Amino acid sequence: MKRLISLIIPVYNAEKTLDRCINSIQNQTFSDWEAILIDDGSQDRSGEICDWYADKDLRIHVFHQTNTGVSGARNRGLSVANGDYLMFIDSDDAIQESYLMNYITTINRMDVDVVIGGYTLVENEISTQYYPERIGIFLNEIWEQICTNPQIFGYACSKIFKTDIIRHHHLTFREDMYAQEDFDFCLSYFDKCSKYGVIHNADYFYYYVAGKRTPPVWNFIENQLKLYNIAQKKKQLSLEVHRAITERICLMIYVFFYDAERNNEFWNATKQLDNINGLKSYLKNISVHDEKSFICYQYLKERYKIINRYFKCRRVIRDIVRKFS
């Protein structure tokens, strides 16, 4: 049966949190939804729990598959979704009772291609709410917001998408990305939009577990470059926005080299950065004004030995200071 909203939930070894997630969906004030549970090769009781809920509620559909990762699971969900609108929920998260009603009402009232909200981060039983800086209906000026506050815009959750746009442009999640696949998908979708709705809503509860996944630096940098290229195409970006993106890239490169030298993997790190398409081209006009930009400038000039010696000396000085502190 066709439903208005399709909820795609990738499930992998989530037996401890799955009840909370599904119950929060069933408790919605809006009822015209289907939940697509993709059991991605779980090795615990997750598959059984999914089947139990599907037997009790005809709106819940379960698909079992060998493990492909979160992107593969979401792509399976995209292929079978029947709704006019699509939303994503992670199996260890939950949503407030009015969550679906707020989003479906807003996308119809605003007549936009996507509605973007905030979220509530729950860590060690402490809740912190995060909202977009500005709310309302936006055209291409929204790219200034996306560039300066990518965290809000980068999650596939806390957004409602139009299925027709996804299908028409054959949008999927990149299965070769270990992390940051949400941001990549959102950027691809936003690129196809002409009108954006942003709301003051934090009814999505993101239960954060430290160390669950550490994004590879190259995935992060790839997305920052993609963000810049799309945003620059959509709107002439201000110097401040360009600087914000550059600062994030420089920080990641700096931390990457720092960790690589400490773990005796420095030369492999340089090769991994060299494989990022467009990175050196983006950095070609970088100005040196601090420690991070200095390292990026040396990288651009391929002065790898200088970078390696810099971090070695930095580590030695740090150890001496600690010894006498």
Side-chain angles (χ1 to χ4, degrees):
M1 181 182 298
K2 186 174 179 61
R3 297 286 182 179
L4 190 59
I5 302 178
S6 293
L7 306 171
I8 297 176
I9 304 109
V11 178
Y12 179 72
N13 292 349
E15 64 179 6
K16 295 180 180 180
T17 61
L18 197 50
D19 287 320
R20 178 182 64 199
C21 177
I22 298 176
N23 288 335
S24 75
I25 295 171
Q26 291 180 315
N27 290 334
Q28 291 297 297
T29 56
F30 179 84
S31 61
D32 191 13
W33 51 262
E34 65 168 359
I36 301 171
L37 301 171
I38 308 298
D39 172 29
D40 191 39
S42 297
Q43 299 175 353
D44 61 4
R45 293 183 54 254
S46 294
E48 299 174 30
I49 296 172
C50 290
D51 290 337
W52 186 88
Y53 278 101
D55 288 340
K56 305 294 182 182
D57 192 332
L58 295 178
R59 297 171 297 178
I60 297 176
H61 314 292
V62 181
F63 297 86
H64 301 280
Q65 63 180 34
T66 56
N67 182 256
T68 61
V70 65
S71 291
R74 285 175 175 159
N75 287 337
R76 177 74 180 277
L78 288 175
S79 70
V80 299
N82 290 306
D84 294 325
Y85 299 95
L86 280 167
M87 300 186 80
F88 297 93
I89 302 174
D90 287 344
S91 57
D92 52 353
D93 295 337
I95 52 178
Q96 192 70 273
E97 292 179 0
S98 58
Y99 179 77
L100 298 183
M101 181 65 78
N102 286 339
Y103 274 85
I104 195 65
T105 301
T106 302
I107 198 168
N108 288 324
R109 174 174 55 82
M110 288 185 168
D111 187 27
V112 291
D113 296 322
V114 61
V115 172
I116 302 158
Y119 60 93
T120 297
L121 176 69
V122 183
E123 182 179 8
N124 298 325
E125 300 184 357
I126 299 174
S127 299
T128 308
Q129 294 180 323
Y130 293 90
Y131 299 100
E133 293 180 2
R134 297 171 57 200
I135 62 172
I137 300 173
F138 297 87
L139 301 179
N140 284 337
E141 69 271 16
I142 196 174
W143 286 95
E144 295 264 338
Q145 281 199 71
I146 299 173
C147 289
T148 55
N149 190 16
Q151 185 176 14
I152 287 288
F153 294 90
Y155 293 117
C157 307
S158 71
K159 297 165 184 63
I160 186 167
F161 305 91
K162 288 185 175 180
T163 307
D164 284 348
I165 293 178
I166 293 174
R167 295 265 166 82
H168 178 73
H169 296 285
H170 309 289
L171 301 180
T172 57
F173 288 83
R174 276 182 55 182
E175 298 186 25
D176 64 326
M177 294 186 87
Y178 174 73
Q180 289 263 311
E181 71 288 332
D182 289 48
F183 197 17
D184 176 80
F185 177 84
C186 288
L187 288 175
S188 296
Y189 185 91
F190 296 160
D191 185 28
K192 308 304 179 185
C193 297
S194 58
K195 198 174 178 183
Y196 311 78
V198 183
I199 58 175
H200 188 80
N201 183 297
D203 288 345
Y204 186 95
F205 291 89
Y206 169 34
Y207 289 86
Y208 177 75
V209 179
K212 184 177 180 181
R213 282 201 301 175
T214 302
V217 67
W218 47 91
N219 285 167
F220 179 94
I221 294 174
E222 282 178 0
N223 274 342
Q224 293 301 307
L225 295 174
K226 181 175 182 176
L227 168 61
Y228 175 78
N229 290 330
I230 295 176
Q232 188 72 5
K233 177 182 66 176
K234 294 277 189 175
K235 184 183 186 302
Q236 187 65 36
L237 298 177
S238 67
L239 181 61
E240 179 185 354
V241 169
H242 183 272
R243 188 180 297 117
I245 296 174
T246 302
E247 287 289 331
R248 289 196 293 269
I249 292 176
C250 285
L251 174 61
M252 293 305 296
I253 290 176
Y254 181 90
V255 173
F256 187 53
F257 276 134
Y258 174 84
D259 288 339
E261 191 282 323
R262 184 181 59 179
N263 296 315
N264 297 317
E265 296 177 353
F266 180 83
W267 299 108
N268 286 333
T270 62
K271 294 177 182 178
Q272 289 171 324
L273 289 183
D274 286 344
N275 287 332
I276 300 176
N277 187 34
L279 175 58
K280 288 188 174 179
S281 175
Y282 178 83
L283 293 173
K284 65 182 179 181
N285 295 319
I286 190 171
S287 59
V288 177
H289 60 276
D290 61 10
E291 190 178 8
K292 297 184 291 295
S293 58
F294 167 76
I295 292 300
C296 287
Y297 181 79
Q298 302 305 322
Y299 167 71
L300 177 65
K301 298 300 182 181
E302 299 185 355
R303 298 168 180 165
Y304 303 141
K305 289 184 179 180
I306 292 178
I307 299 173
N308 190 30
R309 289 168 184 165
Y310 174 85
F311 281 112
K312 283 183 181 296
C313 291
R314 195 182 190 282
R315 182 161 53 87
V316 170
I317 294 171
R318 182 204 60 195
D319 291 342
I320 293 173
V321 171
R322 285 180 177 177
K323 182 178 180 180
F324 290 97
S325 296

